[in-house]
């Protein structure tokens, strides 16, 4: 694989969280080829340059690589569980403000299915809202349109519920009465901020995203979801995404094939399933991802959120360092700026920016950036020595001497 192609893959991992090995072999290569062809660019190196310099090209590449697979009432069980959850709240004050997140929502089938359940359970759009988010602007636009062809119905059991749609030319359109429930947004799961202070969601659908993500991106997304979901809230994952892996302290709901679990009520309190602990299982039914484990194993007794994510932007800096070695200064500046937006006190980003300025012969800028490194890490030996050299060249021998003295003391202080 060429260095440029692997740089594109690193960018997809850093910005989108995409683990390219989760796609078919050569998927990125083919995506880059298609985009290069569309732009009339010759080879992945040229394409990488364009990708880094043109934010709209980033969006176009995302559209090429995302997997949009979804359908109405997908898997069935999660929507029965949602209905049970909403009914269990009937009459309580919390019934008047139910907030649900569908992330990722793809072309909207999941969010409209949720809205159908809300209407079915007698909850009005003033009492319940659905935030539906996806990174693909094209899919979000389709979601807002809410018109689906026959491919959106794959489960005969879902047919009665499709009454929420009206026939139009080319398929089914969501009925106007359901529209006020859902608000669609374009957003990245790695950075998604809920519109209200967290934890604000009673239910989160995060299905068929984690399977495509890098370990680091999975940590970031699971942390965010855990932070946004209210204690006692309902989380639904995809059928291949096990709670035991991603949310070990959540209590899987025993309803077969619901792929749902409850967040513990409070820190330090065991999570309790709301439905009978051992329901009769339908013959031949498959248990939810981790629902078959013994209750004691499932409910560790303490709510442990997923482990903290590594600092954001780290992968961008790995890529930036690689590109710095190849002399791609403009790309390095861009990536460091992006990494600093995620982590404004990144010593590594300022150091890389300083070295890039130095390599470009811009000593004033390099000095300012090395100063920034020292501000964040006063004993940074490399920055002290570089600054000493720059001061010396500027004719300020005293300052250079003081900086070298600091570098020596910093080096001695390191065990
Ligand atoms: C397979 S679909 C899942 C849709 C729906 N949740 C379902 O299970 O039917 C995966 C979706 O994830 C979206 N996606 C991928 N990476 C994302 C990210 N970092 N942030 C938000 N959405 C993302 C894609 O655009 C795609 O629409």
């Amino acid at each position: 694989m060429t260095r440029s192609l692997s740089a594109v893959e690193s960018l997809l991992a850093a910005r989108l969280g995409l683990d390219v090995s989760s796609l078919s072999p050569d998927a990125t290569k083919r995506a880059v080829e298609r985009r290069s062809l569309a732009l009339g660019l010759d080879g992945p190196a040229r394409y990488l340059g364009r990708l880094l310099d043109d934010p709209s090209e980033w969006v176009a590449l995302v559209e090429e690589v995302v997997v949009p697979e979804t359908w109405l009432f997908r898997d069935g069980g999660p929507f029965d569980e949602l209905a049970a959850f909403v009914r269990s709240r009937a009459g309580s004050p919390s019934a008047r403000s139910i907030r649900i997140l569908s992330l990722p929502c793809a072309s909207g089938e999941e969010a409209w299915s949720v809205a159908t359940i809300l209407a079915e359970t007698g909850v009005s759009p003033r009492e319940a809202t659905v935030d539906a988010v996806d990174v693909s602007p094209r899919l979000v636009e389709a979601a807002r349109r809410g018109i689906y062809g026959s491919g959106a119905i794959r489960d005969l059991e879902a047919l009665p519920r499709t009454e929420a749609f009206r026939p139009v030319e080319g398929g089914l359109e969501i009925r106007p009465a359901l529209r006020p429930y859902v608000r669609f947004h374009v957003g990245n799961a790695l950075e998604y901020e809920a519109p209200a202070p967290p934890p604000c969601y009673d239910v989160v659908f995060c299905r068929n995203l984690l399977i495509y993500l890098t370990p680091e991106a999975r940590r970031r997304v699971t942390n965010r979801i855990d932070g946004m979901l209210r204690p006692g809230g309902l989380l639904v994952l995809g059928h291949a995404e096990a709670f035991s892996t991603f949310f070990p302290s959540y209590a899987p709901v025993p309803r077969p094939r619901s792929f749902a679990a409850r967040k513990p009520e409070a820190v330090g309190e065991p999570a309790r399933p709301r439905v009978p602990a051992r329901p009769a299982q339908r013959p031949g039914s498959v248990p939810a991802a981790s629902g078959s484990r013994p209750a004691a194993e499932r409910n560790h007794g303490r709510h442990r959120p997923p482990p903290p994510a590594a600092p954001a932007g780290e992968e961008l800096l790995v890529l930036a360092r690689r590109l710095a070695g190849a002399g791609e200064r403009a790309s390095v500046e861009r990536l460091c700026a992006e990494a600093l937006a995620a982590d404004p006190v990144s010593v590594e980003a300022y150091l890389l920016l300083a070295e890039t300025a130095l390599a470009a012969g811009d000593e004033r800028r390099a000095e300012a950036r090395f100063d920034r490194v020292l501000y964040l890490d006063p004993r940074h030996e490399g920055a002290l020595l570089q600054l000493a050299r720059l001061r010396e060249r500027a004719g300020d021998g005293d300052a250079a001497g003081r900086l070298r003295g600091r570098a020596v003391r910093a080096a001695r202080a390191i065990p």
Side-chain angles (χ1 to χ4, degrees):
M1 185 194 299
T2 68
R3 200 158 61 177
S4 308
L5 197 57
S6 84
V8 171
E9 295 192 341
S10 304
L11 261 190
L12 286 168
R15 291 182 180 171
L16 191 62
L18 178 68
D19 176 358
V20 290
S21 67
S22 68
L23 305 178
S24 56
D26 280 354
T28 358
K29 184 165 172 267
R30 276 183 276 117
V32 167
E33 281 168 1
R34 278 194 300 273
R35 289 306 308 153
S36 302
L37 196 67
L39 296 165
L41 294 173
D42 180 13
R46 291 244 158 76
Y47 180 71
L48 175 64
R50 177 68 170 263
L51 185 63
L52 289 165
D53 292 339
D54 179 356
S56 70
E57 185 46 37
W58 169 251
V59 179
L61 179 67
V62 167
E63 300 289 13
E64 286 284 346
V65 296
V66 292
V67 179
E69 187 77 354
T70 187
W71 58 93
L72 290 167
F73 303 100
R74 182 176 191 169
D75 298 335
F79 299 96
D80 295 333
E81 187 54 38
L82 174 66
F85 179 89
V86 174
R87 286 197 182 102
S88 75
R89 294 219 158 175
S92 75
S94 58
R96 270 175 266 128
S97 61
I98 296 175
R99 201 165 202 150
I100 300 173
L101 175 65
S102 163
L103 170 68
C105 66
S107 38
E109 287 87 331
E110 181 175 276
W112 292 127
S113 305
V114 168
T116 307
I117 298 295
L118 293 172
E120 213 178 270
T121 45
V123 177
S124 78
R126 263 182 289 113
E127 296 164 323
T129 49
V130 185
D131 291 317
V133 182
D134 199 280
V135 75
S136 153
R138 179 177 55 89
L139 292 172
V140 169
E141 204 185 304
R144 285 197 183 110
R145 268 198 309 276
I147 299 179
Y148 302 104
S150 56
I153 304 164
R154 305 195 191 171
D155 181 356
L156 285 183
E157 282 176 32
L159 265 184
R161 281 178 167 157
T162 51
E163 276 174 18
F165 294 77
R166 62 181 182 190
V168 289
E169 205 183 313
L172 294 172
E173 181 181 15
I174 189 76
R175 287 194 188 276
L178 293 186
R179 289 197 178 268
Y181 284 103
V182 189
R183 289 177 297 209
F184 288 102
H185 315 270
V186 175
N188 188 335
L190 268 52
E191 292 149 12
Y192 175 67
E193 303 274 356
C200 62
Y201 288 111
D202 303 284
V203 181
V204 173
F205 278 68
C206 181
R207 303 192 301 160
N208 304 301
L209 171 67
L210 297 172
I211 44 172
Y212 295 109
L213 301 186
T214 63
E216 157 65 6
R218 286 174 172 182
R219 270 195 300 277
R220 284 174 69 181
V221 172
T222 52
N223 265 304
R224 274 187 180 269
I225 289 174
D226 185 60
M228 290 188 289
L229 186 62
R230 288 195 173 126
L234 187 71
L235 173 63
V236 185
L237 297 181
H239 72 280
E241 295 157 335
F243 282 97
S244 53
T245 304
F246 297 115
F247 294 88
S249 66
Y250 283 38
V253 168
R255 181 189 300 276
R257 295 188 68 74
S258 65
F259 313 117
R262 300 291 288 262
K263 179 173 174 173
E265 287 290 348
V267 173
E269 231 179 65
R272 302 246 176 270
R274 288 291 160 99
V275 278
R278 283 180 196 281
Q281 203 161 304
R282 267 185 289 162
S285 66
V286 182
S290 53
S292 56
R293 292 184 302 132
E297 191 191 330
R298 277 186 271 121
N299 304 334
H300 294 267
R302 301 221 152 251
H303 170 50
R304 283 180 301 154
E314 209 167 74
E315 287 181 68
L316 291 172
L317 290 174
V318 171
L319 176 58
R321 194 157 275 294
R322 245 196 285 162
L323 292 174
E328 303 249 9
R329 282 202 293 272
S331 304
V332 175
E333 295 265 348
R334 223 191 150 83
L335 289 167
C336 286
E338 216 173 299
L340 282 169
D343 176 14
V345 291
S346 168
V347 171
E348 173 70 5
Y350 280 115
L351 195 63
L352 207 46
L353 283 171
E355 287 166 2
T356 306
L358 205 56
D362 187 343
E363 297 195 348
R364 275 175 60 146
R365 184 168 285 179
E367 198 167 332
R369 289 168 171 179
F370 281 125
D371 271 338
R372 197 79 195 162
V373 173
L374 280 194
Y375 174 74
L376 295 169
D377 178 2
R379 295 200 303 194
H380 196 289
E381 202 187 333
L384 285 164
L385 289 173
Q386 288 286 16
L387 275 173
R389 209 171 55 84
L390 288 169
R391 286 286 82 219
E392 198 156 56
R393 282 166 61 88
D396 189 352
D398 287 351
R402 280 196 300 275
L403 286 159
R404 283 212 177 85
R406 276 175 67 184
V408 170
R409 286 194 295 282
R412 282 203 197 113
I414 296 170

